[in-house]
């Protein structure tokens, strides 16, 4: 038996061809979507000079993602997940090809940009939901910690590098080539994915899509572990919106633009450290308690920003926040995947991801309202403190989360209200 280590275990990439295919496909997908996030606003700004028009495109991309997540969850629990992944990735690639052709045309169409932003957001989310649903089937629930950490590493690297790469391509060759590279990367994901085995979900009675979605929501609301994990995730995603206060906090700390950049970089730096040193997570006896502790530490780090008058301690607090948030996210993934029956994996994963998007928007709205009546330091102090207080109340009420283990397999035949 290998000696336990705190560092990330890469053996799944070496020993599991199917997971390696998923990993490579997701990496390419994250980079392609990062280029979409840069390319569409740049092109619309150049065409119209209107920030409002840019906002409409970003909104359509977000709406497409939200709908794609919810529909993708229902489809992933009904049809062969391999075919769904291939269809979604191929269709998303076609969208990037059309974006590239539109950018290279003599008179690019603004309406086409709007439509294709929604298109790629929708099909990108559709494929991502199916990819997440197959991970427990491919690696086994005993390897969820390693798979989750590697997946998290993929997303973090993509979030850091893909906008920078997209920006460099746009500067060097134009936005059309950025979309072309994204199209090549997206369609290239079909090469490793086509080798995946058929992965049909457990047979279920036919349901109307809305009723099937309602069944997933009912499971999340009634399951004592999964429901609590989703609520913790909602708090974490809401607090993540604190980044909108970074410019105001930088002014309060008498920091310049380069220091502001460091504030934005500190969080992903902490998250990367968390991903690389997450080997200890798979050995936990009570992962639910550690999830609560990591979330509480994350909220305390954010609240502590209200006490600092210098940049350095604020940066250290943000790195610590990024680390604790990353470990909490990994534990969310492990607990959700482990305690969800195969027949519901698609819907529960889609609801969890949709909750992230919704929580971030709600957090930004609430923090923006708070900042209208309080100074930036007071706003962040109250925001983090309120989240910590809500978490404590949730932890006291959620005995199922505090006692949750990863030793038993979920049983689809058990009632949704059973405490796993």
């Amino acid at each position: 038996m290998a000696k336990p280590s705190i560092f990330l275990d890469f053996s799944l990439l070496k020993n599991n061809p199917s997971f390696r295919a998923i990993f490579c496909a997701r990496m390419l997908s994250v980079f392609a979507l990062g280029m979409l996030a840069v390319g569409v606003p740049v092109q619309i700004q150049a065409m119209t000079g209107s920030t409002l028009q840019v906002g409409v495109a970003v909104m359509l991309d977000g709406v497409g993602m939200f709908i794609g997540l919810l529909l993708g969850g229902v489809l992933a629990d009904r049809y062969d997940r391999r075919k769904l992944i291939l269809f979604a990735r191929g269709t998303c690639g076609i969208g990037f090809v059309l974006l590239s052709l539109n950018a290279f045309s003599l008179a690019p169409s603004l309406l086409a940009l709007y439509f294709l932003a929604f298109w790629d957001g929708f099909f990108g989310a559709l494929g991502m939901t199916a990819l997440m649903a197959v991970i427990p089937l491919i690696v086994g629930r005993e390897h969820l910690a390693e798979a989750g950490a590697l997946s998290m590493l993929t997303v973090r690297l993509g979030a850091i590098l893909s906008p920078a790469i997209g920006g460099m391509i746009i500067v060097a060759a134009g936005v059309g080539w950025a979309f072309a590279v994204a199209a090549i990367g997206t369609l290239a994901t079909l090469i490793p994915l086509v080798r995946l085995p058929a992965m049909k979900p457990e047979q279920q009675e036919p349901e109307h899509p809305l009723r099937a979605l309602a069944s997933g929501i009912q499971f999340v609301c009634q399951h004592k572990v999964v429901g609590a994990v989703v609520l913790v995730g909602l708090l974490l995603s809401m607090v993540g919106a604190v980044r909108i206060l970074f410019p105001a906090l930088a002014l309060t700390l008498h920091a310049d633009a380069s220091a502001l950049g460091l504030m934005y970089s500190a969080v992903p730096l902490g998250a990367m450290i968390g991903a690389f040193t997450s080997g200890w997570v798979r050995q936990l006896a009570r992962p639910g308690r550690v999830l609560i502790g990591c979330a509480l530490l994350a909220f305390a780090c954010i609240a502590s920003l209200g006490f600092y008058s210098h940049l350095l301690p604020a940066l250290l607090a943000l790195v610590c926040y990024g680390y604790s948030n990353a470990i909490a996210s990994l534990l969310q993934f492990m607990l959700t995947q482990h305690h969800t029956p195969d027949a519901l994996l698609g819907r529960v994963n889609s609801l969890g991801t949709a909750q992230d998007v919704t929580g971030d928007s709600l957090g930004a709205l609430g923090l923006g309202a708070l900042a209208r009546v309080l100074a930036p330091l007071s706003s962040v102090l109250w925001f983090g403190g309120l989240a910590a207080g809500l978490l404590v109340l949730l932890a006291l009420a959620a005995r199922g989360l505090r006692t949750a283990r990863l030793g038993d397999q979920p049983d689809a035949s058990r009632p949704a209200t059973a405490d796993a």
Side-chain angles (χ1 to χ4, degrees), residues 196-256:
L196 292 175
M199 288 175 286
K200 297 181 179 180
E202 296 176 359
Q203 293 296 319
Q204 305 173 66
E205 294 184 5
E207 285 185 297
H208 188 277
L210 292 179
R211 186 178 293 276
L213 181 60
S215 298
I217 295 173
Q218 182 183 25
F219 173 82
V220 170
C221 292
Q222 294 182 347
H223 197 283
K224 295 179 181 180
V225 176
V226 177
V229 168
V230 169
L231 288 177
V232 174
L234 179 63
L235 287 174
L236 284 166
S237 58
M238 289 177 66
V239 171
V242 73
R243 66 187 180 278
I244 70 170
L245 273 185
F246 283 0
L249 289 173
L251 291 176
T252 303
L253 297 173
H254 307 290
D256 57 16

Side-chain angles (χ1 to χ4, degrees), residues 5-306:
S5 171
I6 67 167
F7 295 106
L8 178 59
D9 185 358
F10 289 89
S11 60
L12 273 178
L13 293 176
K14 179 182 178 181
N15 301 326
N16 191 319
S18 295
F19 179 75
R20 186 165 60 245
I22 292 290
F23 179 87
C24 294
R26 193 171 186 191
M27 174 73 81
L28 290 171
S29 297
V30 168
F31 273 78
L33 291 174
M35 291 186 185
L36 174 72
V38 173
V40 169
V42 166
Q43 187 177 10
I44 292 179
Q45 185 68 35
M47 289 172 59
T48 67
S50 170
T51 304
L52 176 61
Q53 302 279 25
V54 173
V56 170
V58 172
M59 178 198 70
L60 288 172
D61 176 58
V63 170
M65 288 185 64
F66 189 82
I67 297 174
L69 286 170
L70 297 183
L71 179 59
V74 173
L75 296 178
D77 289 337
R78 180 174 296 185
Y79 300 108
D80 185 342
R81 290 163 181 168
R82 173 183 175 272
K83 292 181 179 179
L84 183 59
I85 292 169
L86 291 172
F87 168 74
R89 299 313 306 147
T91 309
C92 194
I94 292 172
F96 281 118
V97 171
L98 295 175
L99 278 169
S100 180
L101 293 175
N102 182 61
F104 283 127
S105 69
L106 295 178
S109 168
L110 183 62
L111 289 178
L113 275 170
Y114 285 154
F115 173 75
L116 292 171
F118 177 89
W119 173 290
D120 275 332
F122 175 81
F123 286 106
L126 198 74
M128 195 68 71
T129 301
L131 282 170
M132 291 180 66
V134 303
I135 289 178
L137 307 178
I138 288 176
V139 306
R141 296 180 188 267
E142 67 275 13
H143 294 298
L144 283 174
E146 300 97 307
L150 288 167
S151 299
M152 182 171 63
L153 183 63
T154 302
V155 174
R156 301 297 182 183
L157 281 173
I160 295 171
L161 297 179
S162 60
I165 294 173
M168 288 189 291
I169 294 175
I170 291 171
V171 170
V175 70
W177 280 107
F179 291 139
V181 170
I184 293 170
T186 302
L187 294 174
T189 63
L190 300 178
I191 298 174
L193 291 175
V194 76
R195 301 176 184 175
L196 292 175
M199 288 175 286
K200 297 181 179 180
E202 296 176 359
Q203 293 296 319
Q204 305 173 66
E205 294 184 5
E207 285 185 297
H208 188 277
L210 292 179
R211 186 178 293 276
L213 181 60
S215 298
I217 295 173
Q218 182 183 25
F219 173 82
V220 170
C221 292
Q222 294 182 347
H223 197 283
K224 295 179 181 180
V225 176
V226 177
V229 168
V230 169
L231 288 177
V232 174
L234 179 63
L235 287 174
L236 284 166
S237 58
M238 289 177 66
V239 171
V242 73
R243 66 187 180 278
I244 70 170
L245 273 185
F246 283 0
L249 289 173
L251 291 176
T252 303
L253 297 173
H254 307 290
D256 57 16
S258 61
L260 176 60
L262 290 176
M263 294 180 70
Y264 281 108
S265 300
V267 176
L269 172 62
M272 290 290 293
I273 295 172
F276 276 113
T277 60
S278 61
W280 57 275
V281 171
R282 64 178 178 270
Q283 305 164 27
L284 293 173
R286 299 285 189 179
R289 294 180 183 179
V290 180
L291 168 60
I292 294 169
C294 287
L296 191 60
L297 177 59
F299 300 156
C301 289
I302 294 303
S304 72
L305 294 174

